Amino acid sequence: MKYRILHYGEAELRKNCEPINEITEEIKQLVSDMFETMYDAKGVGLAAPQVGKNIRLAIIDIGDDPIVMINPEIIKKSGKETCLEGCLSFPGLSEKVERAIKVTAEYTDLSGDTYEIEAEGLLARAIQHELDHLDGIVFVDRISKARKIQIKNDLEAIKNGETLYEEEYEDEYDDEIDEDLE
Ligand code: NI
C-alpha cells in the first residue's frame, strides 16, 4: 500500500519519534509500504514520520542496497561539505545544506540484528537527513535564516499543498534576485 507523504507544515513532521521496542508484523508491513511509497516518489530515503508514523524508523536506497534502519544513532561524524539536497516532504525544492562528509551509524534491521555502518558522500548525507526527521528536524532548518527568507514563498506554497516545478522555481528565484537589485 502506498502512503501519502506528508508535506512541510504538517504537525506530524515535527514530532520527536518514539523508539521501536519490538519488530512486529505491523512494522514489517510498514517497511514494505514505505519502500513502495519511496520508489514511487523517486526518493532515496524516507522516514516513518513522513508517512505519519511517530516511530524511529527510516529507509534508504541510494541505488545499491536498500537499508532499513530501526532506532538508528549516529555515533561518529567527520568533515563538512555543502551539497544540494531535497526532501519528499518538500516537492520540487532543492537547497544547499552543510553536512558531515563521513558518519558512522548504529541501527537495528528488520531481523533484529544490530549493525554499524561507515558511510560517506551521498549515503552519509541521506543517513543524516533521515535521522533528522526522527527528531522532528527538516532540511530547511539547516539553511541560513537569510536563505529561508528568500524562499519564504516557496515554503508557503509547499505548506498549501502545491508542488514546485524546477522551471517555475527558477523563475521565481530570478524574480527575487531582480527585486533585490532594484
Ligand atoms: Ni526528507
mmCIF file of all heavy atoms in Angstrom, residues 45 50 86-90 129-130 133 139, ligand 1:
data_model
loop_
_atom_site.group_PDB
_atom_site.id
_atom_site.type_symbol
_atom_site.label_atom_id
_atom_site.label_comp_id
_atom_site.label_asym_id
_atom_site.label_seq_id
_atom_site.Cartn_x
_atom_site.Cartn_y
_atom_site.Cartn_z
ATOM 1 N N GLY A 45 15.403 8.199 0.209
ATOM 2 C CA GLY A 45 15.236 7.962 1.635
ATOM 3 C C GLY A 45 13.852 8.377 2.084
ATOM 4 O O GLY A 45 13.226 9.251 1.453
ATOM 5 N N GLN A 50 7.341 10.844 7.955
ATOM 6 C CA GLN A 50 6.868 11.390 6.672
ATOM 7 C C GLN A 50 5.610 10.687 6.170
ATOM 8 O O GLN A 50 4.947 11.180 5.265
ATOM 9 C CB GLN A 50 7.969 11.284 5.600
ATOM 10 C CG GLN A 50 9.144 12.215 5.863
ATOM 11 C CD GLN A 50 10.183 12.094 4.773
ATOM 12 O OE1 GLN A 50 10.980 11.158 4.775
ATOM 13 N NE2 GLN A 50 10.169 13.010 3.820
ATOM 14 N N GLY A 86 17.348 17.546 -1.393
ATOM 15 C CA GLY A 86 15.900 17.679 -1.490
ATOM 16 C C GLY A 86 15.248 16.782 -0.468
ATOM 17 O O GLY A 86 15.927 16.077 0.275
ATOM 18 N N CYS A 87 13.915 16.814 -0.433
ATOM 19 C CA CYS A 87 13.180 16.007 0.540
ATOM 20 C C CYS A 87 11.784 15.754 -0.018
ATOM 21 O O CYS A 87 11.170 16.662 -0.571
ATOM 22 C CB CYS A 87 13.089 16.769 1.867
ATOM 23 S SG CYS A 87 12.110 15.936 3.111
ATOM 24 N N LEU A 88 11.303 14.523 0.109
ATOM 25 C CA LEU A 88 9.989 14.200 -0.448
ATOM 26 C C LEU A 88 8.866 14.991 0.223
ATOM 27 O O LEU A 88 7.784 15.118 -0.341
ATOM 28 C CB LEU A 88 9.718 12.689 -0.327
ATOM 29 C CG LEU A 88 10.629 11.785 -1.170
ATOM 30 C CD1 LEU A 88 10.321 10.318 -0.909
ATOM 31 C CD2 LEU A 88 10.492 12.101 -2.660
ATOM 32 N N SER A 89 9.130 15.559 1.397
ATOM 33 C CA SER A 89 8.120 16.381 2.061
ATOM 34 C C SER A 89 8.151 17.833 1.576
ATOM 35 O O SER A 89 7.362 18.667 2.040
ATOM 36 C CB SER A 89 8.306 16.334 3.581
ATOM 37 O OG SER A 89 8.071 15.020 4.042
ATOM 38 N N PHE A 90 9.080 18.129 0.656
ATOM 39 C CA PHE A 90 9.217 19.469 0.058
ATOM 40 C C PHE A 90 9.274 19.315 -1.458
ATOM 41 O O PHE A 90 10.322 19.558 -2.063
ATOM 42 C CB PHE A 90 10.505 20.139 0.532
ATOM 43 C CG PHE A 90 10.554 20.484 1.991
ATOM 44 C CD1 PHE A 90 10.737 19.497 2.948
ATOM 45 C CD2 PHE A 90 10.430 21.800 2.411
ATOM 46 C CE1 PHE A 90 10.797 19.817 4.298
ATOM 47 C CE2 PHE A 90 10.493 22.127 3.756
ATOM 48 C CZ PHE A 90 10.667 21.128 4.706
ATOM 49 N N HIS A 129 20.163 13.145 6.907
ATOM 50 C CA HIS A 129 18.875 13.750 6.559
ATOM 51 C C HIS A 129 17.716 12.949 7.187
ATOM 52 O O HIS A 129 16.834 13.521 7.825
ATOM 53 C CB HIS A 129 18.738 13.802 5.033
ATOM 54 C CG HIS A 129 17.453 14.358 4.546
ATOM 55 N ND1 HIS A 129 17.354 15.544 3.846
ATOM 56 C CD2 HIS A 129 16.175 13.894 4.637
ATOM 57 C CE1 HIS A 129 16.080 15.770 3.554
ATOM 58 N NE2 HIS A 129 15.347 14.786 4.017
ATOM 59 N N GLU A 130 17.744 11.619 7.020
ATOM 60 C CA GLU A 130 16.635 10.788 7.519
ATOM 61 C C GLU A 130 16.604 10.759 9.045
ATOM 62 O O GLU A 130 15.536 10.788 9.644
ATOM 63 C CB GLU A 130 16.726 9.361 6.959
ATOM 64 C CG GLU A 130 16.610 9.258 5.436
ATOM 65 C CD GLU A 130 15.478 10.056 4.829
ATOM 66 O OE1 GLU A 130 14.419 10.212 5.468
ATOM 67 O OE2 GLU A 130 15.647 10.570 3.713
ATOM 68 N N HIS A 133 14.845 13.656 10.540
ATOM 69 C CA HIS A 133 13.376 13.528 10.528
ATOM 70 C C HIS A 133 12.872 12.882 11.822
ATOM 71 O O HIS A 133 11.794 13.231 12.312
ATOM 72 C CB HIS A 133 12.919 12.656 9.357
ATOM 73 C CG HIS A 133 12.764 13.396 8.058
ATOM 74 N ND1 HIS A 133 11.876 14.445 7.888
ATOM 75 C CD2 HIS A 133 13.351 13.212 6.844
ATOM 76 C CE1 HIS A 133 11.944 14.875 6.630
ATOM 77 N NE2 HIS A 133 12.842 14.152 5.980
ATOM 78 N N PHE A 139 15.167 19.581 6.481
ATOM 79 C CA PHE A 139 16.427 20.123 5.944
ATOM 80 C C PHE A 139 16.468 21.649 5.871
ATOM 81 O O PHE A 139 17.537 22.228 5.977
ATOM 82 C CB PHE A 139 16.806 19.443 4.615
ATOM 83 C CG PHE A 139 16.087 19.915 3.384
ATOM 84 C CD1 PHE A 139 16.798 20.269 2.242
ATOM 85 C CD2 PHE A 139 14.712 19.992 3.340
ATOM 86 C CE1 PHE A 139 16.159 20.688 1.092
ATOM 87 C CE2 PHE A 139 14.048 20.421 2.185
ATOM 88 C CZ PHE A 139 14.773 20.771 1.073
HETATM 89 NI NI NI B 1 13.332 14.286 3.954
#
